Amino acid sequence: MRTVFATCSVDYSGRLNAHLPMAPRLIMVKADGSVLVHSDGGSYKPLNWMAAPCSLTVRDPEDEEAHVGISEVWEVKHQKNEGQLVIRISSISFDHSEEFGVDPGLIKDGVEAHLQELLAQQISDIFGKGWTLVRREYPTPIGPVDLLVRDEGGCPVAVEVKRRGEIDGVEQLTRYLDLIGREPGKEAVRGIFAAQEIKPQARVLAEDRGITCVILDYDAMRGIDDSDNRLF
């Protein structure tokens, strides 16, 4: 990972246009190619970002850019759509790269681990007749996706299981889908984001990326609560 503290402006063009005026910010460039721009606030959420797969090129400023103090320009282009992030840097106060190595993946809490186990056993009950399990903890270069299954037509589906579904979980599944989709015979892989609760923002992002959201009833899956016989 590369971290850069810089005074910069950021322009995004794609499904919509957005502009961040010149200010001190943190730029993160991750090993998968994704680029994130953070301010000193807003918790974990970046002000703007470009998710992998994308390419980063650095060019010298044009005359007009150099005239207003720009020292270098980063152009980040998405490889599957028209999205582009242009970062114009006037100064850099810190620039450091660190090799993290292979990430062991997220260690789930007891509920998430049990949800994954139960879902693997109940694939056809939850998703529909004809669905089958290929493998739990299906490996990718950045860690395993919870389940790889096949739908009634035999098409591959990657399933990420969470107790609470939030935006970072959608981003995680998006990265898995990109990597699995590069494998022969899995180019048409699609995703399911399954959780006991899914935040509205996460649902909007998932649906925008073609990912299906599924709510899991933990008690019903454990056989201690019959949702069909509830009064309310």
Side-chain angles (χ1 to χ4, degrees):
M1 179 185 292
R2 181 183 178 190
T3 56
V4 178
F5 290 94
T7 300
C8 63
S9 66
V10 183
D11 289 280
Y12 173 80
S13 59
R15 292 189 301 270
L16 50 82
N17 296 327
H19 173 71
L20 296 173
M22 191 69 66
R25 296 191 176 91
L26 166 63
I27 307 170
M28 301 174 64
V29 183
K30 295 191 175 182
D32 65 358
S34 55
V35 178
L36 303 91
V37 181
H38 288 267
S39 64
D40 190 13
S43 187
Y44 66 89
K45 187 176 181 180
L47 293 169
N48 215 326
W49 70 93
M50 183 71 72
C54 57
S55 61
L56 167 63
T57 58
V58 180
R59 64 169 174 83
D60 292 330
E62 298 177 355
D63 291 342
E64 291 185 0
E65 294 169 326
H67 182 70
V68 295
I70 303 301
S71 59
E72 59 184 75
V73 180
W74 294 14
E75 295 181 344
V76 187
K77 296 183 179 179
H78 202 275
Q79 296 176 6
K80 290 189 175 181
N81 57 47
E82 299 300 318
Q84 177 172 277
L85 203 63
V86 179
I87 304 173
R88 294 178 172 86
I89 297 174
S90 65
S91 63
I92 293 177
S93 59
F94 179 83
D95 188 342
H96 176 72
S97 296
E98 186 79 21
E99 293 291 338
F100 282 18
V102 178
D103 192 280
L106 180 68
I107 298 175
K108 296 180 177 294
D109 65 22
V111 173
E112 284 191 9
H114 199 203
L115 273 171
Q116 182 196 126
E117 179 184 358
L118 290 170
L119 184 55
Q121 297 168 357
Q122 302 173 26
I123 290 296
S124 59
D125 295 329
I126 302 298
F127 295 148
K129 185 178 180 180
W131 286 63
T132 58
L133 175 68
V134 176
R135 177 173 174 175
R136 290 179 60 187
E137 301 290 340
Y138 185 82
T140 79
I142 60 171
V145 67
D146 288 333
L147 304 174
L148 185 68
V149 304
R150 291 194 180 276
D151 64 17
E152 70 279 3
C155 295
V157 183
V159 184
E160 187 64 20
V161 181
K162 300 292 184 187
R163 183 166 56 87
R164 176 178 295 175
E166 301 189 30
I167 286 176
D168 56 349
V170 178
E171 295 286 4
Q172 182 183 8
L173 178 55
T174 300
R175 295 191 290 271
Y176 290 148
L177 289 171
D178 174 65
L179 292 167
I180 295 171
R182 301 179 192 181
E183 299 178 16
K186 296 186 177 68
E187 293 83 0
V189 65
R190 57 192 179 89
I192 290 179
F193 192 50
Q196 288 181 276
E197 173 191 0
I198 298 178
K199 295 294 186 180
Q201 300 93 331
R203 182 180 291 274
V204 170
L205 181 61
E207 293 175 350
D208 181 67
R209 296 182 177 180
I211 294 171
T212 301
C213 292
V214 173
I215 297 296
L216 300 176
D217 188 327
Y218 186 42
D219 288 338
M221 293 170 70
R222 290 189 294 167
I224 63 173
D225 180 35
D226 186 353
S227 60
D228 293 332
N229 293 327
R230 294 176 186 162
L231 293 177
F232 51 86

